[in-house]
Amino acid sequence: MGRIKRGLDYFPLSTSFMHDRIVRRVMKREGDAAFATLVETLSYIYAGKGYYISVNDEFYDELTDGLYSTDIDDVKRIIALSVECGLFDAGLFHQYGILTSADIQRQYLFITKRRSSSLIEPDYCLLEEEELASYHPSQSSKSGADDTDTQTADNVTSSTDDATSNADSVTIEAEFSTSGTQNKEKQTKTNQNKINHLSDSPQGEDGGGKILKRRKVMTQEDINNLQPPNDGMQRNFEGLLENLRSYKIPPSEQYAIILKSNFGAIGHPVWKGFSNIRGSNGKIKLPGHYLLSVIN
């Protein structure tokens, strides 16, 4: 059996990558070496797993070996700053120790859409289900077929049980009762897994604000359910949400902006960022990235 290829032989690099505000912010802090480090990191990501890479001492050593006049401490600092600024997903970096982003995953699925095995691991996925289906529509069909097969098997089992019930109806009733209980417990567990768990504060202690714990995919409903902490600070949280929605900023970026702006605190640099976006007359193409670069 042939080896299933995971990584890519190439990846496209936008002509505006070097002029991206986040990249420029990292370069301003760390110098020109940051650009080479980021490009080399993307190469490792796409060539390895295709859409993520695990960050450990071995990764830092190999990355440093391929760079001139850049030591391992510089590389670690550049990567950490890139995560902080939003170039890579901070939640997955801190939770699983990997580097990835929605754009990287989107590019990977686009390039490998003709493959039958180019799937994103659920725990690492940053894309909505609808977007995933657009790259691999056959998954939905396969899932439907599996459900049909399962239903058919259940019907056959049910028919066999009904035939056996003539010999021992009391036993069959007990089995149906047990099965119903198990199904109800399974459904209850499934519904509980879908609940948006909220902590009590931005610090996770007693600030009073509700913040989502890490989920597979952040949705607009999750954002709308957030509540600012009751700490007496002056905020315009509703105005912040309205601005974020009006610029069609993805929910994952909205969440990061909400946290970094302390739920829209009055006087926070995020409001200056919105003013700059309005004054750009559409020249700022990625408002979410721009705001993250402003408030970091």
Side-chain angles (χ1 to χ4, degrees):
M1 180 182 293
R3 182 175 64 88
I4 298 177
K5 184 174 179 61
R6 291 287 301 275
L8 306 177
D9 294 325
Y10 73 94
F11 69 94
L13 186 65
S14 172
T15 56
S16 62
F17 177 76
M18 190 172 182
H19 304 289
D20 183 274
R21 293 192 64 88
I22 294 180
V23 176
R24 290 173 62 185
R25 185 178 181 86
V26 175
M27 291 178 63
K28 185 176 181 180
R29 289 267 298 272
E30 297 296 334
D32 294 341
F35 181 78
T37 302
L38 293 177
V39 173
E40 188 75 359
T41 300
L42 291 176
S43 298
Y44 271 91
I45 291 173
Y46 285 115
K49 300 295 185 180
Y51 62 92
Y52 78 91
I53 190 168
S54 298
V55 178
N56 49 37
D57 291 338
E58 182 180 359
F59 164 74
Y60 286 125
D61 287 337
E62 291 186 6
L63 191 61
T64 305
D65 289 342
L67 300 169
Y68 298 100
S69 67
T70 304
D71 58 32
I72 192 170
D73 291 332
D74 294 333
V75 170
K76 288 183 177 181
R77 195 169 56 251
I78 291 170
I79 295 299
L81 181 59
S82 300
V83 172
E84 179 185 340
C85 291
L87 194 60
F88 302 107
D89 187 82
L92 294 181
F93 176 76
H94 294 299
Q95 185 172 0
Y96 296 106
I98 66 171
L99 293 176
T100 187
S101 70
D103 288 337
I104 291 174
Q105 295 180 9
R106 196 173 289 118
Q107 190 66 256
Y108 170 74
L109 290 177
F110 177 77
I111 294 175
T112 62
K113 60 183 177 182
R114 296 197 179 191
R115 293 186 190 175
S116 60
S117 59
S118 59
L119 305 178
I120 305 277
E121 293 187 30
D123 288 340
Y124 299 165
C125 187
L126 297 170
L127 306 179
E128 301 286 351
E129 292 183 3
E130 295 79 4
E131 187 172 2
L132 288 174
S134 68
Y135 293 109
H136 293 284
S138 59
Q139 286 183 257
S140 299
S141 301
K142 182 178 180 182
S143 177
D146 291 342
D147 291 342
T148 301
D149 292 341
T150 302
Q151 185 175 2
T152 302
D154 290 342
N155 291 337
V156 172
T157 303
S158 179
S159 298
T160 304
D161 290 342
D162 289 342
T164 308
S165 65
N166 293 328
D168 194 352
S169 60
V170 175
T171 302
I172 293 300
E173 288 179 358
E175 290 178 355
F176 273 112
S177 177
T178 303
S179 176
T181 302
Q182 292 174 344
N183 290 337
K184 184 175 181 181
E185 291 176 352
K186 182 178 181 181
Q187 182 64 35
T188 301
K189 183 177 180 180
T190 301
N191 290 338
Q192 288 176 345
N193 289 337
K194 294 181 180 179
I195 296 176
N196 297 335
H197 297 288
L198 301 177
S199 65
D200 293 332
S201 71
Q203 295 77 21
E205 296 178 355
D206 58 352
K210 293 183 178 180
I211 294 183
L212 293 168
K213 292 183 179 179
R214 181 71 196 173
R215 297 187 59 202
K216 181 179 71 174
V217 176
M218 186 71 65
T219 66
Q220 189 60 53
E221 183 180 359
D222 297 331
I223 299 299
N224 295 339
N225 287 334
L226 292 173
Q227 295 294 329
N230 297 319
D231 55 6
M233 178 172 288
Q234 291 186 335
R235 295 180 173 87
N236 184 8
F237 185 52
E238 292 300 324
L240 177 65
L241 292 181
E242 183 178 350
N243 277 281
L244 293 174
R245 288 192 294 262
S246 67
Y247 289 111
K248 302 185 185 305
I249 296 174
S252 59
E253 293 180 12
Q254 289 189 40
Y255 185 54
I257 293 169
I258 289 171
L259 294 186
K260 290 181 179 296
S261 68
N262 198 0
F263 291 81
I266 301 298
H268 193 276
V270 70
W271 301 110
K272 177 64 175 178
F274 282 124
S275 177
N276 292 340
I277 293 174
R278 287 190 293 270
S280 72
N281 296 321
K283 292 182 180 180
I284 297 178
K285 303 298 183 181
L286 298 172
H289 283 198
Y290 171 78
L291 289 173
L292 286 171
S293 70
V294 168
I295 63 183
N296 274 315

